[in-house]
Structure formats: C-alpha cells, structure tokens
Amino acid sequence: MSTYVTKPYLPPKEEYLKRVSAIFDRDVLTNQGPEVRDLEERMRSFLGVEHFHYVTNGTVALQIALRALDITEGEIITTPFSYVATTSSILWERCTPVFVDIEPENFTIDPAKIEEAITPRTKAIMPVHVFGYACNVDAIEAVAKKHDLKVIYDAAHAFASRYKGRALSSYGDISTLSFHATKLFHTIEGGACVVRDQDVSDRLELIKRFGHHGDTHYMLGINAKQDEFNAAMGNANMGHLPEIFAERKRLSELYDSLLARKVRRPAPQEGLEYNHAYYPVVFESEKELLAVFDRLKEMDVFPRRYFYPSLNTLPYLKNAASCPASEDIAVRIACLPLFVGLDDDSIYKICGVFK
Ligand SMILES: *Cc1c(COP(=O)(O)O)cnc(C)c1O
C-alpha cells in the first residue's frame, strides 16, 4: 500500500451517519442550520474568539477577508513561501501581491523586510503561519500600526497551534483557516474567518450571504456559506481532536528521535504550542532531496515538495521581486508523511533512508 504525505482523518462512521440521519429528519440542508451553528459555537469556545465565520473553503475565506476590510485594489505584502492560494486569492481580488522574503529558520515572512516594501499603494499585509509555526506577530502588528495597514493572517496551517497563550489563528484583523480534507482538522471542504472587530464581522456576515438581509441589499456579496453535511463531518471530527493531536505529536516525536542531526528542522519557537500539522525537513541540496525521494518511491512512499516553487516565481506574475531565502528553501524542503493511522514501521522504514 502506498504511503502519501497525508491521509484524511475519518471519524467512526456511525458518528457521522447519526448526524446525517438527523439532517434527513429536520430537512434543513443549509442556510445556517443547527450543524453549522453548533460548529461555529464550538469553534468560538475552542479558539477563545468572539467572531468566527464558517465558510466553504480557505481560499474564499481569504478573498472575502479582503472584501470585508474593503480592500479591492492596491498592493498586499505577502510571503512567497506558501500554498498558491495565498497569492492567487490576492490576484483574484485584482490586488497586487508584493513578496517579502522569509526567515530561513521558520519559513515565515521576515518582519524586518516588510517596511522596505511599503509604498503609498500598500493596503495590507498577508503573512502565513506556515506549517503551523508562528509569524513574528508582534513585529508585524507594530509595522502595520505605524503605516495604518490591515493584517490578514493565512492561518490555514495554524488551527490549534497556540502562541503566547492564545490561539495562533486569532491574531490580526482577520485570520483565515482551511478545513480541507488534507488539513489536520477538516470538514471535507471548508474554511473560516476569525474576525477581530464587530463591524468587520458584520460586513463579512453580509458578504458571505449575497450582501443582503431580507429585501434590503447592503453591499456586493457572494455565496460563501457552508452546508449541514460538511458541518456534520466537522462536528464529528471535533470530538476526536484530543486523540488526533496526541497521535500526531507521538508520530512527530518518533521522527525526531530517528532523524536527530540527520536533517535540518525548523527552530523551536518560544511561546508556541505547536499543532504538529506537518513534518518539514530541509535537505542540504535539491539533489539530495531528489535522491531521497527516489529511494522512498521504491518503497512506495511519496512525501511532498511543500512548498515548491517559491510563489514569486509563478509564471503568471509580472515583475515579482526575487526572494533568495524562499527560493533556496523551496527547492530543498519536503514534508514527510504524518497522519493518524500512519504506523510506526513506516516511520522506521522512511527514516532508514536518511544517512
Ligand atoms: C490549504 C491552504 C489554503 C486553501 O485552503 P482551501 O480550503 O483548500 O481552499 C490556503 N492557504 C494555505 C497556506 C493552505 O495550505
């Protein structure tokens, strides 16, 4: 059997089907039904936040976050080291991504370089808590405040990481989450916006439901609301969060013990309670990465090149700045398989390939 970098977690079938059966009885399939309301309430309490909006996916979450903050043009400072959706959501909203290079230790945007990239057209900063590691939120907030910029964190990897005593996905004007099947917590497809201010949250609530309330149309909106079946999967999975984390932590620590000093790993961050969303390793060179991939492929193991290529090199971008640290890391980093259900023997096998 092949081993991939991740495998969706599935709750016991009866737990999901019991919820589905109740949906059939109620005949309420969408439009803020009880499963969606229940999930949103549990999330508010789990994350310790006031304004939480469950939406269809993490990409649309980024797009409506920009809209809710009234950003419809201009430059958005962002990181080149992320999944393509971070950049594409900016482009889709007809804004211009401006790339600022990363800190090589934890792959997050380098706050010291943000200020140089600010122009009169800059509207916001969109950093990523990549792999669930914390951006330097204090430095980012300071520069945002000084230049009156909004901050939208793409926290797609950060669900359940905690930083300095609060949910990592609660920083900034808005933090967005992805609950895609491949993420550590999922609702099959899904995403969310965690919003700091009441008025922005009210705008987002309208935007995600066509911009109207009854017959009164307040603003341009879209359909980003999620349905009862996806929420039911989320609610079923929520009950298993503690065991999901415990198992991912155990598997990560097994990797740690077997790979000590054989590969470069992200630096530990003070104040971070890590969610074990990914297990990234940095190789000496791309050549070494490809050699290890070849040997793993013979064993039917398929890690992923996460994230590759560096987004400032996307072919449909014009005049993107070069980002040497991101481009260097992107060609020699990979994520090893990590998911509930991965057996210890596979980890021993995988680690045996590293010299
Ligand atoms: C997965 C992901 C997204 C997109 O989320 P979807 O729910 O798949 O739309 C955005 N940003 C990052 C960093 C991601 O990993």
Side-chain angles (χ1 to χ4, degrees):
M1 212 176 68
S2 304
T3 305
Y4 296 95
V5 68
T6 189
K7 191 172 139 231
Y9 176 83
L10 282 172
K13 203 193 265 177
E14 321 74 72
E15 290 180 23
Y16 179 61
L17 292 182
K18 200 171 130 210
R19 289 178 181 276
V20 167
S21 168
I23 295 172
F24 272 70
D25 292 343
R26 280 193 299 265
D27 204 3
V28 174
L29 307 187
T30 186
N31 287 354
Q32 296 296 108
E35 286 286 350
V36 167
R37 288 201 307 268
D38 188 24
L39 185 65
E40 289 191 331
E41 208 37 58
R42 291 167 84 171
M43 286 288 173
R44 280 181 200 113
S45 116
F46 179 73
L47 297 171
V49 299
E50 213 175 324
H51 308 297
F52 178 96
H53 300 265
Y54 179 42
V55 298
T56 43
N57 60 65
T59 306
V60 122
L62 286 166
Q63 290 173 223
I64 62 175
L66 287 166
R67 294 277 174 158
L69 293 167
D70 206 15
I71 298 168
T72 53
E73 47 95 40
E75 295 171 359
I76 315 289
I77 290 174
T78 189
T79 171
F81 191 72
S82 181
Y83 183 58
V84 69
T86 314
T87 291
S88 64
S89 63
I90 294 171
L91 289 166
W92 203 262
E93 291 300 322
R94 306 225 172 248
C95 296
T96 308
V98 172
F99 295 99
V100 164
D101 211 351
I102 57 170
E103 299 192 270
E105 294 74 31
N106 292 93
F107 326 122
T108 48
I109 196 165
D110 186 344
K113 299 202 171 107
I114 291 177
E115 204 150 21
E116 300 160 27
I118 295 173
T119 75
R121 285 176 43 76
T122 308
K123 295 282 162 41
I125 309 171
M126 190 185 281
V128 179
H129 300 299
V130 69
F131 303 135
Y133 297 104
C135 293
N136 189 335
V137 291
D138 295 329
I140 291 170
E141 188 176 309
V143 69
K145 209 171 202 166
K146 182 171 163 198
H147 295 272
D148 195 22
L149 303 174
K150 305 292 185 196
V151 181
I152 300 168
Y153 283 104
D154 180 343
H157 300 173
F159 182 65
S161 270
R162 294 181 63 79
Y163 188 54
K164 296 186 176 175
R166 57 188 261 208
L168 183 54
S169 51
S170 69
Y171 287 88
D173 292 278
I174 300 181
S175 282
T176 65
L177 289 160
S178 166
F179 299 143
H180 182 256
T182 55
K183 304 293 199 299
L184 110 167
F185 169 83
H186 78 88
T187 69
I188 310 174
E189 291 275 358
C193 292
V194 177
V195 185
R196 190 182 54 205
D197 296 335
Q198 178 77 57
D199 56 329
V200 180
S201 174
D202 293 345
R203 272 177 63 88
L204 199 137
E205 179 65 25
L206 271 171
I207 288 170
K208 87 172 191 218
R209 297 201 250 165
F210 308 100
H212 74 98
H213 199 76
D215 290 336
T216 314
H217 291 256
Y218 294 94
M219 62 184 78
L220 177 67
I222 195 170
N223 181 4
K225 55 189 158 43
Q226 187 59 288
D227 67 72
E228 289 289 282
F229 292 82
N230 285 283
M233 178 60 85
N235 280 317
N237 282 340
M238 259 321 250
H240 296 275
L241 268 183
E243 68 196 65
I244 295 174
F245 294 137
E247 181 60 2
R248 299 181 76 100
K249 181 162 189 280
R250 192 187 70 79
L251 295 169
S252 301
E253 285 168 357
L254 180 57
Y255 271 125
D256 286 344
S257 69
L258 296 170
L259 289 179
R261 287 181 300 278
K262 288 187 184 170
V263 283
R264 210 194 97 194
R265 294 271 298 138
Q269 292 183 296
E270 209 181 311
L272 176 74
E273 292 166 57
Y274 186 52
N275 63 1
H276 300 283
Y278 297 88
Y279 198 89
V281 293
V282 181
F283 294 85
E284 285 293 323
S285 64
E286 182 172 31
K287 196 167 151 231
E288 191 192 300
L289 176 146
L290 293 173
V292 167
F293 269 45
D294 277 347
R295 270 175 278 149
L296 289 173
K297 195 170 153 195
E298 285 163 24
M299 302 172 359
D300 239 1
V301 175
F302 301 90
R304 266 290 299 275
R305 298 191 70 171
Y306 256 8
F307 286 99
Y308 173 79
S310 183
L311 296 174
N312 58 308
T313 66
L314 286 171
Y316 44 83
L317 283 172
K318 288 182 219 100
N319 312 320
S322 81
C323 297
S326 175
E327 289 166 46
D328 170 52
I329 295 288
V331 295
R332 58 193 180 95
I333 190 168
C335 285
L336 301 183
L338 181 64
F339 51 86
V340 176
L342 178 65
D343 58 83
D344 292 12
D345 279 353
S346 299
I347 294 186
Y348 282 103
K349 250 173 38 184
I350 291 165
C351 294
V353 161
F354 289 78
K355 300 263 165 55

